[in-house]
Amino acid sequence: MSGGAGRLAEIALFLDAAVLGSFSAAGRKHGLSPAAASAAIARLEAALGATLFERTTRQLRLTEEGVHYRQYSEQALDLLAQAEDGLHGGGGAARGLVRISAPSDIGRQLLLPMLDRFAALHPQVRHALTLTDMTARLVQDEVDLAIRYGELPDSEMVARLLHPGRRVVCVAPALAAKVGMPATPRDLALLPTLVLTAGDGAPQDWRYREDGKRHSLRLQGAWHSNDGEIIRRWAVAGHGYAYKSLLDIGDDLRAGRLQTVLDDYFADSVPLHLLYRRSRFQPPRVALLADFLLQQFAALQA
């Protein structure tokens, strides 16, 4: 590989190795032996003066420099592909992969049908969807768009409001009739509760206002899960009181499967944001999907 075409081939090989986690697998895709693929990556690293991969006998991982180079390499190849489309009558249609991270409830109940509608409009755009209730790190987790609740301190991200949001305490009516209704948030400690946990097992705080001051409860809970959709299903099944976003349980409230309690205490907004990297270049597929999701969530509010 030499010259401009050689560098582009090396970049394409680098991107495939990052996705596949193997020089050998990436080499096979490009018709290269494992040794030739490894040598091509080594030439690219030498030309850049940076190590792109951490190499061990068990795995191949991008370094911090590799993550940075991957982001801009993908953008560069995207631009070239769009230019070729335009030359060959492609009309500059959006194409390629968008990696999305969303909370489990939002992903299953709202985002999936939205992505179906977007795919009908832009069939050349592919989606990789990760559902997690943990905070997404856009660069480290290799995410193009993330949907997350709450305030966002990271100034490296662009945050656009999708929905003002609100978290409430909810319960199946049959369980409330059986075990009783709480008169104050502190009464929840004496009732069966369903608690969302973080990756380290720490329980979610249930935040409320009383006498003009902010308070929070950290309940032990009868049942725990790190998946918000599981918490919702357990609540509907009558296993305990749950702390959920109104967006997540809207259908359950309308159908009478759940009811809210302590609404005077749990009334604060918990905004839902769409996040993406702060960059001068936003691939058309990412920009189009971001605008589409903003329109779809605005229609929900209307």
Side-chain angles (χ1 to χ4, degrees):
M1 297 180 186
S2 61
R7 173 60 58 84
L8 288 176
E10 289 171 353
I11 291 173
L13 179 69
F14 157 72
L15 292 175
D16 284 329
V19 171
L20 298 171
S22 164
F23 290 155
S24 298
R28 284 194 297 273
K29 185 174 178 180
H30 290 262
L32 300 173
S33 68
S38 181
I41 297 296
R43 284 196 299 272
L44 179 61
E45 290 178 320
L48 296 172
T51 300
L52 301 175
F53 290 99
E54 294 175 358
R55 299 161 171 85
T56 70
T57 56
R58 301 183 64 181
Q59 62 181 349
L60 189 69
R61 294 181 56 187
L62 288 172
T63 62
E64 184 176 346
E65 292 79 8
V67 171
H68 174 84
Y69 191 65
R70 176 180 180 174
Q71 175 187 346
Y72 288 96
S73 296
E74 287 177 335
Q75 294 173 1
L77 293 187
D78 279 340
L79 283 173
L80 286 173
Q82 290 162 36
E84 291 176 3
D85 281 347
L87 289 174
H88 298 95
R95 57 182 290 177
L97 180 68
V98 182
R99 297 161 299 193
I100 312 153
S101 175
S104 54
D105 292 270
I106 292 293
R108 291 185 177 99
Q109 297 184 58
L110 298 179
L111 189 57
L112 283 178
M114 291 179 184
L115 292 180
D116 286 342
R117 291 192 286 272
F118 184 81
L121 297 172
H122 303 283
Q124 295 186 64
V125 177
R126 296 172 289 118
H127 304 120
L129 176 60
T130 299
L131 299 182
T132 174
D133 292 291
M134 304 301 106
T135 301
R137 300 166 300 171
L138 293 185
V139 175
Q140 294 92 329
D141 294 344
E142 299 176 4
V143 173
D144 297 306
L145 294 173
I147 296 175
R148 283 295 176 269
Y149 284 107
E151 299 302 323
L152 306 160
D154 192 341
S155 61
E156 295 304 310
M157 302 178 188
V158 175
R160 300 180 70 179
L161 182 66
L162 286 173
H163 196 278
R166 179 183 159 204
R167 283 204 181 101
V168 297
V169 176
C170 60
V171 65
L175 180 68
K178 178 181 177 181
V179 302
M181 300 269 281
T184 72
R186 289 176 294 279
D187 294 340
L188 289 165
L190 305 174
L191 295 167
T193 50
L194 309 169
V195 177
L196 183 70
T197 57
D200 59 1
Q204 180 187 33
D205 288 332
W206 295 23
R207 304 182 186 280
Y208 65 96
R209 280 184 179 271
E210 186 175 14
D211 299 328
K213 297 180 181 178
R214 291 180 181 271
H215 302 272
S216 66
L217 289 169
R218 180 160 284 197
L219 300 167
Q220 294 301 314
W223 295 19
H224 301 177
S225 177
N226 66 349
D227 188 313
E229 170 70 359
I230 296 298
I231 298 292
R232 186 192 68 81
R233 292 188 183 190
W234 282 346
V236 170
H239 295 304
Y241 285 81
Y243 183 55
K244 295 294 299 176
S245 165
L246 276 175
L247 268 177
D248 298 339
I249 61 170
D251 288 343
D252 299 314
L253 293 175
R254 286 185 286 271
R257 293 185 292 266
L258 294 174
Q259 65 184 71
T260 62
V261 300
L262 302 171
D263 290 342
D264 290 340
Y265 294 92
F266 293 88
D268 280 0
S269 171
V270 183
L272 183 70
H273 289 100
L274 179 67
L275 310 178
Y276 49 85
R277 285 186 289 264
R278 193 179 301 277
S279 173
R280 289 175 298 173
F281 174 80
Q282 188 73 278
R285 63 182 183 274
V286 176
L288 278 171
L289 181 54
D291 289 341
F292 181 82
L293 292 177
L294 287 163
Q295 294 167 10
Q296 293 288 301
F297 277 90
L300 283 180
Q301 293 185 64

